Amino acid sequence: MSYIAGVDIGNSTTEVCIARVAFDGTLEFLVSASCPTTGIKGTVANVHGITSALKQAMGSLGLGTERLSLIRLNEAAPVIGDTAMETLTETIITDSSMIGHNPSTPAGAGQAVGQVLFMEHLDRAERGTPYILAASRNHSYEAVAEAVNRAVDEGGSIEGMILQADEAVLVENRLHKKIPIIDEVARMDKLPEGVLAAIEVALPGETVRMLSNPYGIATLLKLTPEETQVITPIAKSLVGKRSAVVLKTPGGNVREQVLPAGEITVCGDRDVTINLDEGAEKIMAALSEAGAVRDILGQPATNVGNMFARIRRGMGEVSGEPGAVSAWGTGAAASAQGTHAAVSARGTGAAASVQGTHAAASARGTGTAASAQISAQEPHIRITDILAVDTLAPVVISGALAGETCLEKAVGIAAMVRTEKLPMEEIASRLKAELGVQVAVAGVEAVMASLGALTTPGVAMPLAILDMGGGSTDAAVLYPDGRTELTHQAGAGELVTMLIGIELGLRDHGVAEQIKKYPLAKVESLFHMRMENGQMSFVEESIDPRFFGRVVMLTERGMVRLEEDIPMEKIVQVRREAKRKVFVTNALRALRQVAPEHDLKRISNVVLVGGSAEDFEIPDMLMEEFANYRIVCGRGNIRGSEGPRNAVATGLVLSYIGERQW
Amino acid sequence: MVMNRPTIFIYTNQPDRAVLKEICAGIEEEGIFFEIFERSVREVNELAWQAAQDSMLGSGLGICGMDAAFSMRGLTRKRCVEICLNPGREQCRRLGSNSARAIKRQPLAMD
């Protein structure tokens, strides 16, 4: 009798299972465990996570790891996923020009136009001139109200107010004449005195109408058609706000700058070049058009060029293939080396960098010079797949007064990097040295996953699996004669986390990860909360008041409060959309790749495995989508007990029995 | 017919004037009405608890001298939402504001 372990190193999680093998070859699975993967998948840094998971599993059996006879590691696919986001537009205000935010309690309603006048200079107000009074927090609400009442009684024209303190209602309640008042404007010091300002406070339950409309601003500030054109980004960024101020600064300038996103060249059966700002749909169409992809290049000296160079550099460090990395540089133009290089480039811009021989790239459409960086000896590190997703990122507007953000067009990209080989043998020998147990690298990951998936009750061959992990979405079809078709696609859980983080403007990656994983609820009283599906949940013991009124995540360890003030409905919408964009797109893409004649209708059933298959909504989304193709789809239940996890580890143990002759 | 006004109750026992004024300002800024009653009880959390029980909105404050507390109906006598001993101006404002935000189902401001 011996104990053997199957170990699956994933992009995010390392999973193990332990089985007892009797002398007659009878196999009994005993326990499973998992730990976060330490370091990048396929590197020696993984050893620490593997050891922890094995100790955890053996510990639960009351045994030490020295009792293991054999550890079987997956032949991790030499692909690593990475994600990045680039904003394509940026709004810049080169002078103090706007305030647009959502103070919790503005006062009054309507619009007003006037010259900005500081409270300290109220005595300088001229009769007949309309003013917008600005008061810092040094002035009490009583003093402000009294001074304004006096000024108005004496014939002054105070049309609106901007306050630094949260005292708009307190001031308004003490005014004889009601005017719109905006409060909680932190950067009063940046407010220029004497300039013309338009102020608007929306009616309760509404948002500003005049200042979120370029023609509304033009009406209030009497702008020319040219000036109206310039003010458009301001109007756009004030959409949805409850109060706003727009300042007409003569020297000021507002512009929406289009950042040089750069071009992507897909080198495949055909080379196809596409500009990043064409959007995700066209990028993915270009990818399909290129056929079998050998490599994907980013235009040097652009955002996308730098992004791809960063991914390759990271992968080079992992696989120890520096030669391949230096060939790509960091996007700067390199000198041409070798012969027969051919680059066709239209337009002007960055110089093309050419290396090696037989390189060819064509630049289509408008744009800058294309880069051809393919050598006769193909580079060892290649980007073999990307998933591009359109997104909107709230970016802080340069020059705004209250930290206002504007939703800027952005594209999120997950890239799949392929190397010649990952140092799996080195991991195996390190592990052997550390634990004193024989270690074998065995089995192709996707095949092992299929074998493991076969232990799900009710499945039969031919079997299609969709392995949805953190970094990649893999698909495989296992036929009864042993043939296997498999593919790795860029983009999975990590890209979803990134999109959630970007679109909700979250600074903490951990919070975005939790939003992805857990359903939400809003604590509406000390004794009940409303779930995101509308269901009400009541509790006997009062809920901690710190959760009151907050959106919370319902984790297995209880409620976790979300610090950001974002409506629950918005979070749910962003989360679901991110999952749909990544997983539905990728599932269809991956299955089409492995399906007989690339026809989805020729796949009859799909088993979902991997960490993301455990998600509380992704499998349902896929089932809904696959129903259109009459595909039966469901979450795997490995060994009838493990759910969709542990497929590869289980497959590794099963394949051991198959390999041995008993 | 006797109609109770939808107000936050503030039960006081010889309250410090500045503390009372700032707490009231915090409630007023949130746009909620309040009523003040002098009571003989000297424990600030008991004052707040009773105020919350009696308020039609279920939100009550207790002020005893320089100390203040905020409670909500449903909480036990000893478990107030917030108790401030000798609070500063900002703390008083926040206490008043929170008693109003609780009614509006808005998140409470915390330290």
Side-chain angles (χ1 to χ4, degrees), chain A residues 263-275 282-298 328 340-346 353-355 357-365 370-376 378 382-383:
Chain A
E263 289 177 341
I264 295 172
T265 300
V266 186
C267 307
D269 298 335
R270 278 179 303 282
D271 291 354
V272 182
T273 300
I274 179 114
N275 202 305
K282 290 195 174 165
I283 294 172
M284 296 314 288
L287 196 68
S288 304
E289 194 187 328
V293 177
R294 296 193 312 280
D295 202 356
I296 302 171
L297 314 172
W328 302 90
H340 306 301
V343 179
S344 97
R346 290 181 217 153
S353 69
V354 182
Q355 191 167 68
T357 56
H358 308 301
S362 65
R364 286 195 326 186
S371 64
Q373 299 175 313
I374 308 167
S375 64
E378 291 264 329
R382 294 173 290 131
I383 294 177

Side-chain angles (χ1 to χ4, degrees), chain A residues 522-540:
Chain A
K522 175 141 192 221
V523 179
E524 295 195 325
S525 81
L526 291 178
F527 294 94
H528 88 279
M529 56 184 148
R530 179 169 52 90
M531 305 295 176
E532 64 173 65
N533 63 1
Q535 191 188 336
M536 301 296 249
S537 173
F538 292 83
V539 291
E540 267 194 33

Side-chain angles (χ1 to χ4, degrees), chain A residues 466 576-577 579-589 591-592 600-601 603 606 608 617-634:
Chain A
L466 205 51
R576 287 185 63 83
E577 201 48 42
K579 286 177 181 176
R580 194 175 295 283
K581 281 182 203 169
V582 174
F583 281 107
V584 173
T585 310
N586 250 359
L588 293 176
R589 220 159 58 100
L591 285 177
R592 205 167 267 134
L600 272 182
K601 289 191 173 162
I603 288 179
V606 176
L608 307 176
E617 58 191 350
I618 293 169
D620 293 349
M621 282 180 188
L622 292 177
M623 280 180 223
E624 210 174 288
E625 186 66 30
F626 286 154
N628 299 328
Y629 300 89
R630 293 184 195 156
I631 297 173
V632 178
C633 159

